Amino acid sequence: DTVSFIPTAQFTDSIHRHLLISNNLSSDDEYDLYIPKGAFTDIYSDTCDSTHVVFRMRPIDEYGKFAVTINRQDMTFPVIIQLLTEKGLVIDQKTVSNEKRVDFGILPPATYGLKAILDTNGNGRWDTGELIKKKQPEKVLVHPKKFEVRTNWELEETWNL
């Protein structure tokens, strides 16, 4: 009772470091992901070994949802909202221009943090300052609270920037 299929795969970043593999997976089945030798190449032209991962999807009710409403005074530039792990690693990021609500969708139960980058030049990333031009770096704000996403819960927060 094995069925093979080729899922849709696409890189989610411009430098091809993050690959999104999407397909309608059922939580009732076990999956076997096989990536053949040489499928990926790094910047030094080295290729990967073959990789074989067996996994099972969690049922949807074992995840939680998290959304944040952003209230800000200055709407002249976008703000990058980053979702962080407890250790400060970026899991997801959304750029907010005019909209107020940022929905991070379904997440595994864990404790998360938020960081906002005031993207004054609108290039979609944090920029350091320039000492010679006496230009300050873009402001970064970290939400003082940690957010616990629980199984089968929807968490909504408001953040005044």
Side-chain angles (χ1 to χ4, degrees), residues 110-134:
T111 302
Y112 297 95
L114 286 174
K115 180 166 66 171
I117 300 170
L118 306 181
D119 190 18
T120 54
N121 63 0
N123 68 350
R125 63 184 178 87
W126 179 77
D127 292 306
T128 61
E130 293 182 48
L131 184 62
I132 295 172
K133 293 181 180 179
K134 296 183 181 179

Side-chain angles (χ1 to χ4, degrees), residues 40-130:
F40 298 103
T41 305
D42 69 8
I43 61 173
Y44 304 110
S45 297
D46 293 330
T47 58
C48 68
D49 289 335
S50 63
T51 303
H52 182 143
V53 179
V54 177
F55 65 95
R56 182 179 292 275
M57 297 297 298
R58 287 183 182 179
I60 195 73
D61 60 352
E62 288 186 19
Y63 292 91
K65 291 185 178 183
F66 181 50
V68 61
T69 301
I70 306 296
N71 293 326
R72 59 190 179 125
Q73 302 296 325
D74 191 357
M75 302 282 275
T76 59
F77 52 84
V79 176
I80 301 167
I81 305 296
Q82 294 181 331
L83 182 68
L84 310 172
T85 65
E86 277 189 288
K87 295 182 178 182
L89 300 173
V90 178
I91 297 173
D92 194 4
Q93 77 175 28
K94 311 276 185 183
T95 302
V96 178
S97 295
N98 297 326
E99 62 276 4
K100 289 183 152 202
R101 190 168 194 274
V102 178
D103 189 356
F104 290 107
I106 60 170
L107 298 167
T111 302
Y112 297 95
L114 286 174
K115 180 166 66 171
I117 300 170
L118 306 181
D119 190 18
T120 54
N121 63 0
N123 68 350
R125 63 184 178 87
W126 179 77
D127 292 306
T128 61
E130 293 182 48

Side-chain angles (χ1 to χ4, degrees), residues 15-26:
I15 58 174
H16 294 193
R17 285 184 29 197
H18 298 267
L19 181 68
L20 175 67
I21 299 172
S22 56
N23 200 11
N24 292 330
L25 303 179
S26 168

